[in-house]
Amino acid sequence: MRQAEADVCLLLEGTYPYVTGGVSSWVHQIITRMPDVRFALQYIGASREPALEMRYTLPANVVAFESMYLFDEPLPAEPARLDEPGRGRLYGALAAMHEAMRDGEVAGPFHAVLAGLAGAGGGGSRCPMHRMKKAPNLRNLLADREAWDLLTRLYDERCPGESFIDYFWTFRFMHLPIWQVMAASRRVPAARVYHTVSTGYAGLLGAVLRALRGRPLLLTEHGIYTKERKIEIAQAEWIHAARQQGFVAFQGLGYLKELWTRCFGFMGRAAYEAADAITTLYDGNRRMQIEHGAPPEKIQVIPNGIDVEELGKLAAARASASARPTVGFVGRLVPIKDVKTLIRATKIAVAAIPDLEVLIAGPTDEDPAYTRECMDLVASLELGGHVRFLGKQDVARVYPRIDVLALSSISEALPLVILEAQAAGVPVVATDVGACRELLGGRGREDRALGPSGLLVAIADPEEMAGALVRLLRDPALRARLAAAGGARVGRYYRQSDIIERYRALYRRHIESAPAAAAAGAEG
Amino acid sequence: MAGIGFTLRLALARGTLAGTARAYAVGAVVSSGPWVLSMLSLGVLGVLARALVGEAGLTLFFATVTHVFAFSLILTGPLQLVFTRYVADLLYLRRREAIFPAFRGALVVTTAGLGAIGLPFALALEVSPIYRVAALALFTVIGGIWVSMLCISAAKRYERIVAAFLAGSAVSVAGGWCGARVAGADGLLIGFLAGQAIILYGLIAVVSAEFPRTRGLSFEHLGHFRRHPALAAVGLAFNLAIWIDKILAWHHPESGVAVNGILRFSPAYDLPAYLAYVAVIPGLAFFVVRLETDFAEAYQGFFDRVVHRGTLGEIRAEKAAMVAALRDGVTRLIRLEGCVCLALVVFASRLVASLRLEWVHLAVLQVDLVGVLPQLLVLTSLTVLFYLDEKRSALLLASVFLAANAGGTALTLALGPTWYGYGMAGAALLAAVVGIGLVNRHLADLEFVTFMGQPVGTRGHEEPEPAPAPSLEAFATGETTRDQSPASSTSSR
């Protein structure tokens, strides 16, 4: 790959091009739909092993592609010899960062830590690359007595009753990837704008690049990284949580889990503060970002888009009156999609609609155990004549056949199937997760004025879902109204070409402001 | 874990006076028995054979035996610590079946090595060919004895070891006397050799009773030299340090006397030095039975607390207990050994008179006695440093001792007989101070080193070991290996 300076460098943590999924597809679309924009890719992973395969062919406008693996970065063998002021700066900054992690203010301590890591004197060093000779390296943080003193002081102040060995390793493993990101930041390809597709380590890298290179930073969040990590941490077995003797239930997660949660919170806030613009998929996410410290004025909602024309053709091609009332499910058979609730709802609905048919169209190989359980459930509920597993299907063949699309997920961001179904003229019954409320009811006054395009139900409630399905299947006029509203909504607000244009405008605006920032003294 | 010590402490735990006395007595026997028996057998032989081989023949015999003991100890020094560590690692990995082949390999290496090194020296002696062969054979046999002692967990087998030494020593005396009657100096040596060979045979039998008698020969332990060069260096340095003053005395024109070819001895210097070592018996027994075991236990407590999720406060408390155990032990050692040495110093004149030694011996003996306690402190410091796996500091300490002893002795030899012994005593004192200083510093840093010294592997990081090392006392008396304590495993993602 030629190492020309790119227009946009995407910071991708655990996603494109090595992992498939909603985010990766989105990234791929952005790149392919803007062939005149030169993209660089910076992938961030945990480890090189097991070896990852490229899941996408990189389009021609990708001019650079780098990967960094946080746990595989080589550690320097010896700590750098720091002078007194250097030591003071570094460890003072680290101590302040820990205070910030606790209290909330981020920008100041963050920059102090960068300066401390740079090792350079005083203010204004935007480019520590030149001064790396006297810069601390990662080994300092693993070997210096001051690092130990800081660690034990924080321990004594904050959690003297915790298992020390767990605290020690938590401390190290929290810091290590952060330092690796900072140290590896100089290998990130040069670009006029940096666009990170999550907070977390990619967001942190973005914040570091913003500080060091002075180029604008854009942040797009599909899911809210910090919240996802909090859920994982709460469930994690490998984080030691001392059992409180004598208490039946106790508040909070245990100190170490709190520590991890706060660490990710800190990284998130660092990214929010550093970003020049933040986008996300729907309002619910926007509110959550604000809760996590994002300045509201920076946030725009830019949803995902679909090819409305193509899918609109399916609406025209609908079979006028299908033989049986048919409900469709399009998606992977995995627990988060909660297909079992749909199956149970089917059992209830069949009492009212005896010839009901439910088509489950989605790959069955992602979680074979769960697929097996679903099929067993169908058998045990004696729904063999009603529920059919189609496997992975081309959606063009599914939407024309179904009267209603059902979505029973317990967690979603912005499900593309709802957009597709609406473009294809199919009304929707969906659980109230993620953006579903906005998609089915409208976002903003104008959008809401278009009318509802589906029915919302509670999660894991087969009765309510069955009720909604039956209601729709018995009422063709209602279905037609909902479908019309859905078509209008999708056409106006979720057209992929419009979405791409909005991102293009975002890029253009910030690329144009970049030369001014560049002149302020950063080097690419 | 100090094998003997812990087993003997079970006797102590009974709490009766008799039980306590028995434990210490056994400790003394195990730690000092072998070399005391050797000295005794030599002493008795000396009396018995004087008439048979004459003064010259006896001097030749003693000089030969002394050189054999000294240089076999020095030359097997590097192997001893490395091999002990190797066996300890095998025990930790539960590969007991690999030990006997390794033992055979070590014996082969020792025999071949000592044989090769000793050959030119044997050839340089102006003696009969039989004598040369016997001397060379004795050299390898004694080397083999040192190696065998490493593999034995003496606590469980101490009766057998003592039996082997008793039997062997008896045969040495009887055989030596008979041999002297029949063949003069040659026969004396051959008879002595026979007894020592019996000791070696007995020890090999104990080793093979202890470990599965797997077939084969293994030289895998030689790889450990590359992994633990500091251990080899310490082994060499410490043994050399103990003998260098005598070696220098042998070769100094004023103090040394030629015996035969390269064999020399120092009438004024040697005897008091050997006699003074008798004073070490109580201190060494105390070290083995109490001091080392108390420390090992406290050390294990520290690691348990680290690994089993103690708070930092608890960990610090365990460390304080470690330091206290060491301080108490050292204090008691100083008191005990101090009294013993003081008493012996006071009674030295009577001792000298009853043994019909020269008056010059008295002064040297008294100084040498003063040097015994510091040497025990050096031993203690080295042991602690090995427990803490501070190999470089251990090497530093051994080197300081060696250099000071060499330098100090050279100086005092030049100054004349009134100064004999001060070099060794002064060096021991200096080394003791250095040793205690090093121990202090490393103990102060213990948590820091324990935690911050852990390697950060990227995925699946390695299990670090606290590496409790073989005690140097074990090495000095050619004793045992111990089971490794379970390695601390610091958890991570």
Side-chain angles (χ1 to χ4, degrees):
Chain A
M1 302 243 180
R2 298 175 297 118
Q3 291 290 328
E5 186 184 66
D7 297 309
V8 178
C9 177
L10 295 171
L11 308 178
L12 306 160
E13 181 181 328
T15 170
Y16 187 87
Y18 290 118
V19 178
T20 55
V23 177
S24 292
S25 312
W26 176 88
V27 171
H28 192 66
Q29 276 184 5
I30 295 268
I31 302 176
T32 44
R33 298 301 219 100
M34 294 194 220
D36 51 319
V37 176
R38 288 170 312 178
F39 284 92
L41 305 181
Q42 174 67 51
Y43 177 80
I44 302 173
S47 165
R48 244 176 227 112
E49 301 290 335
L52 299 166
E53 282 170 42
M54 293 267 281
R55 299 303 188 95
Y56 295 86
T57 318
L58 298 182
N61 55 334
V62 174
V63 301
F65 176 28
E66 288 287 330
S67 299
M68 75 167 72
Y69 297 95
L70 295 178
F71 289 114
D72 285 355
E73 290 290 310
L75 291 174
E78 292 294 322
R81 295 181 175 285
L82 301 177
D83 53 13
E84 258 319 297
R87 254 180 229 286
R89 237 196 323 276
L90 175 65
Y91 291 106
L94 280 177
M97 190 183 84
H98 278 272
E99 292 299 324
M101 267 209 259
R102 194 172 217 195
D103 303 329
E105 210 260 281
V106 167
F110 183 72
H111 286 98
V113 167
L114 280 183
L117 273 187
S125 157
R126 293 295 213 103
C127 183
M129 278 67 122
H130 302 314
R131 318 221 194 167
M132 278 308 181
K133 277 196 300 288
K134 282 218 264 158
N137 62 40
L138 301 169
R139 192 55 74 173
N140 286 95
L141 297 159
L142 295 174
D144 282 357
R145 190 167 291 271
E146 289 85 351
W148 168 258
D149 290 340
L150 174 65
L151 191 159
T152 50
R153 180 165 65 80
L154 289 172
Y155 174 89
D156 285 337
E157 279 172 19
R158 299 186 184 179
C159 56
E162 277 296 319
S163 150
F164 185 71
I165 198 172
D166 288 286
Y167 178 83
F168 177 79
W169 282 107
T170 301
F171 195 87
R172 273 194 166 184
F173 275 106
M174 264 172 41
H175 283 74
L176 218 57
I178 296 179
W179 308 137
Q180 302 287 32
V181 160
M182 291 186 176
S185 64
R186 50 186 139 153
R187 295 207 314 265
V188 175
R192 300 166 76 184
V193 166
Y194 294 90
H195 186 179
T196 174
V197 179
S198 63
T199 52
Y201 296 108
L204 184 73
L205 178 59
V208 171
L209 292 167
R210 182 71 178 87
L212 296 183
R213 297 190 184 182
R215 299 302 173 99
L217 174 69
L218 307 176
L219 164 64
T220 296
E221 287 200 270
H222 283 72
I224 303 293
Y225 185 101
T226 310
K227 177 177 144 220
E228 289 168 12
R229 294 293 83 71
K230 183 163 182 175
I231 294 174
E232 263 174 34
I233 288 167
Q235 296 171 339
E237 303 269 294
W238 55 265
I239 305 180
H240 176 63
R243 308 233 171 286
Q244 308 276 17
Q245 308 276 40
F247 284 86
V248 172
F250 64 104
Q251 297 269 11
L253 298 173
Y255 186 79
L256 293 176
K257 292 191 175 185
E258 291 277 355
L259 206 55
W260 274 111
T261 306
R262 264 188 268 133
C263 178
F264 286 116
F266 171 83
M267 289 198 286
R269 284 202 306 280
Y272 290 142
E273 288 190 20
D276 294 272
I278 303 174
T279 74
T280 192
L281 294 182
Y282 64 99
D283 250 346
N285 262 5
R286 180 171 182 273
R287 264 177 269 130
M288 218 180 303
Q289 288 175 320
I290 295 173
E291 254 175 57
H292 283 102
E297 65 278 6
K298 284 191 194 175
I299 312 176
Q300 285 182 55
V301 172
I302 305 185
N304 284 337
I306 52 162
D307 190 339
V308 173
E309 263 69 48
E310 267 309 299
L311 289 155
K313 292 181 193 153
L314 297 179
R318 285 191 66 71
S320 45
S322 39
R324 294 166 70 169
T326 310
V327 170
F329 169 93
V330 177
R332 299 167 295 145
L333 268 83
V334 293
I336 208 170
K337 301 280 183 195
D338 197 11
V339 183
K340 291 184 187 175
T341 293
L342 177 60
I343 297 172
R344 292 191 187 100
T346 307
K347 180 71 180 171
I348 300 171
V350 159
I353 304 186
D355 57 344
L356 173 65
E357 188 173 50
V358 172
L359 302 177
I360 298 190
T364 54
D365 51 2
E366 190 156 327
D367 192 335
Y370 186 75
T371 308
R372 179 86 267 142
E373 286 170 25
C374 293
M375 292 182 174
D376 288 345
L377 184 60
V378 167
S380 71
L381 293 176
E382 293 171 350
L383 291 172
H386 298 280
V387 176
R388 291 176 51 199
F389 290 85
L390 300 180
K392 187 163 165 65
Q393 292 286 312
D394 180 4
V395 295
R397 299 175 50 191
V398 178
Y399 291 127
R401 287 170 68 179
I402 60 178
D403 299 304
V404 175
L405 180 81
L407 182 123
S408 48
S409 308
I410 53 181
S411 172
E412 284 282 0
L414 190 118
L416 283 176
V417 290
I418 295 188
L419 298 177
E420 291 172 351
Q422 292 182 153
V426 179
V428 174
V429 170
T431 45
D432 187 4
V433 294
C436 293
R437 186 175 284 270
E438 291 169 33
L439 293 179
L440 300 185
R443 178 181 164 254
R445 204 156 35 91
E446 266 187 46
D447 192 4
R448 280 197 290 273
L450 294 174
S453 54
L455 300 180
L456 268 181
V457 297
I459 59 176
D461 193 340
E463 295 220 354
E464 200 181 342
M465 176 161 272
L469 289 174
V470 168
R471 188 173 152 216
L472 278 188
L473 288 170
R474 280 187 173 157
D475 192 344
L478 176 60
R479 287 206 304 276
R481 273 203 313 279
L482 295 175
R489 175 163 295 129
V490 165
R492 196 183 301 188
Y493 297 109
Y494 296 95
R495 208 175 271 274
Q496 186 177 66
S497 43
D498 292 341
I499 304 301
I500 298 290
E501 263 319 299
R502 290 179 70 182
Y503 273 108
R504 188 192 287 277
L506 200 58
Y507 286 155
R508 208 177 316 137
R509 183 160 72 244
H510 285 94
I511 289 178
E512 269 151 30
S513 74
E523 250 190 60
Chain B
M1 304 266 182
I4 323 174
F6 280 107
T7 312
L8 292 177
R9 274 158 64 103
L10 292 180
L12 277 181
R14 266 189 254 132
T16 64
L17 202 55
T20 310
R22 181 170 178 271
Y24 280 109
V26 171
V29 165
V30 172
S31 57
S32 305
W35 60 267
V36 166
L37 275 173
S38 299
M39 271 180 62
L40 269 179
S41 57
L42 284 171
V44 170
L45 256 185
V47 167
L48 288 179
R50 175 165 271 128
L52 294 170
V53 299
E55 201 61 43
L58 205 55
T59 312
L60 174 64
F61 173 69
F62 281 139
T64 308
V65 170
T66 308
H67 277 72
V68 160
F69 270 91
F71 286 99
S72 64
L73 195 58
I74 293 171
L75 289 172
T76 59
L79 176 66
Q80 291 200 328
L81 279 180
V82 171
F83 187 71
T84 309
R85 176 62 178 256
Y86 175 74
V87 173
D89 287 350
L90 283 181
L91 286 172
Y92 172 63
L93 291 171
R94 301 191 202 286
R95 286 181 53 201
R96 288 176 72 93
E97 70 287 351
I99 292 181
F100 204 77
F103 170 59
R104 283 200 196 96
L107 278 180
V108 166
V109 168
T110 305
T111 306
L114 289 181
I117 295 174
L119 185 60
F121 293 101
L123 289 174
L125 289 177
E126 289 149 23
V127 291
S128 71
I130 300 181
Y131 195 92
R132 286 203 190 104
V133 169
L136 203 53
L138 185 64
F139 197 37
T140 59
V141 163
I142 302 293
I145 290 178
W146 299 135
V147 172
S148 308
M149 293 292 275
L150 295 177
C151 293
I152 302 170
S153 162
K156 299 174 201 151
R157 304 265 178 261
Y158 67 81
E159 335 79 60
R160 294 203 201 178
I161 296 181
V162 173
F165 273 94
L166 267 174
S169 302
V171 168
S172 281
V173 170
W177 182 66
C178 289
R181 292 187 69 188
V182 168
D186 293 354
L188 175 59
L189 188 61
I190 293 175
F192 184 76
L193 167 64
Q196 301 302 304
I198 288 188
I199 295 177
L200 177 59
Y201 182 77
L203 292 181
I204 293 179
V206 175
V207 176
S208 70
E210 179 81 17
F211 297 108
R213 261 198 102 112
T214 332
R215 292 179 159 282
L217 202 57
S218 154
F219 295 100
E220 201 186 25
H221 62 280
L222 294 178
H224 253 51
F225 276 97
R226 216 174 314 127
R227 287 176 59 183
H228 303 287
L231 285 183
V234 174
L236 182 62
F238 186 70
N239 274 313
L240 197 52
I242 294 181
W243 280 98
I244 191 72
D245 62 325
K246 299 157 198 64
I247 296 173
L248 285 174
W250 297 340
H251 289 271
H252 186 86
E254 199 187 325
S255 59
V257 166
V259 174
N260 187 318
I262 42 90
L263 292 182
R264 301 170 64 89
F265 82 119
S266 172
Y269 195 92
D270 291 357
L271 200 49
Y274 302 145
L275 276 180
Y277 273 119
V278 170
V280 102
I281 296 175
L284 203 52
F286 177 77
F287 178 84
V288 163
V289 174
R290 269 240 82 94
L291 201 160
E292 192 189 7
T293 55
D294 281 354
F295 180 77
E297 208 172 46
Y299 183 73
Q300 189 61 42
F302 174 81
F303 263 100
D304 282 346
R305 191 62 69 167
V306 165
V307 167
H308 292 121
R309 303 198 143 117
T311 69
L312 187 58
E314 290 166 349
I315 293 170
R316 285 174 176 147
E318 290 291 337
K319 191 183 86 165
M322 251 173 90
V323 172
L326 189 59
R327 195 181 46 232
D328 284 347
V330 167
T331 310
R332 286 198 207 151
L333 178 66
I334 292 176
R335 274 194 227 140
L336 168 67
E337 196 59 30
C339 288
V340 168
C341 290
L342 196 59
L344 285 175
V345 165
V346 165
F347 286 104
S349 55
R350 307 208 56 187
L351 188 63
V352 162
S354 64
L355 286 175
R356 295 202 215 116
L357 303 174
E358 311 291 312
W359 284 105
V360 65
H361 292 145
L362 172 62
V364 183
L365 178 61
Q366 288 177 325
V367 178
D368 285 344
L369 281 169
V370 168
V372 163
L373 173 57
Q375 283 184 65
L376 276 171
L377 292 175
V378 172
L379 179 66
T380 306
S381 306
L382 273 171
T383 304
V384 171
L385 288 175
F386 274 114
Y387 266 98
L388 299 178
D389 204 28
E390 297 288 348
K391 296 191 271 248
R392 261 185 269 157
S393 288
L395 181 55
L396 175 66
L397 179 55
S399 309
V400 163
F401 190 24
L402 174 60
N405 202 6
T409 305
L411 181 62
T412 56
L413 287 175
L415 289 174
T418 39
W419 287 96
Y420 287 5
Y422 281 93
M424 166 61 127
L429 205 55
L430 174 66
V433 168
V434 167
I436 290 178
L438 286 172
V439 164
N440 258 345
R441 181 152 63 86
H442 288 302
L443 280 178
D445 281 348
L446 185 60
E447 322 86 278
F448 173 70
V449 169
T450 301
F451 283 97
M452 295 299 263
Q454 291 314 311
V456 181
T458 46
R459 312 144 254 114
H461 82 169
E462 326 143 19
E463 306 268 298
E465 21 162 1
S471 85
L472 207 66
E473 173 269 343
F475 149 74
T477 57
E479 189 221 79
T480 83
T481 45
R482 293 81 64 64
D483 288 327
Q484 280 274 27
S485 62
S488 74
S489 90
T490 53
S491 60
S492 79
R493 295 214 283 183

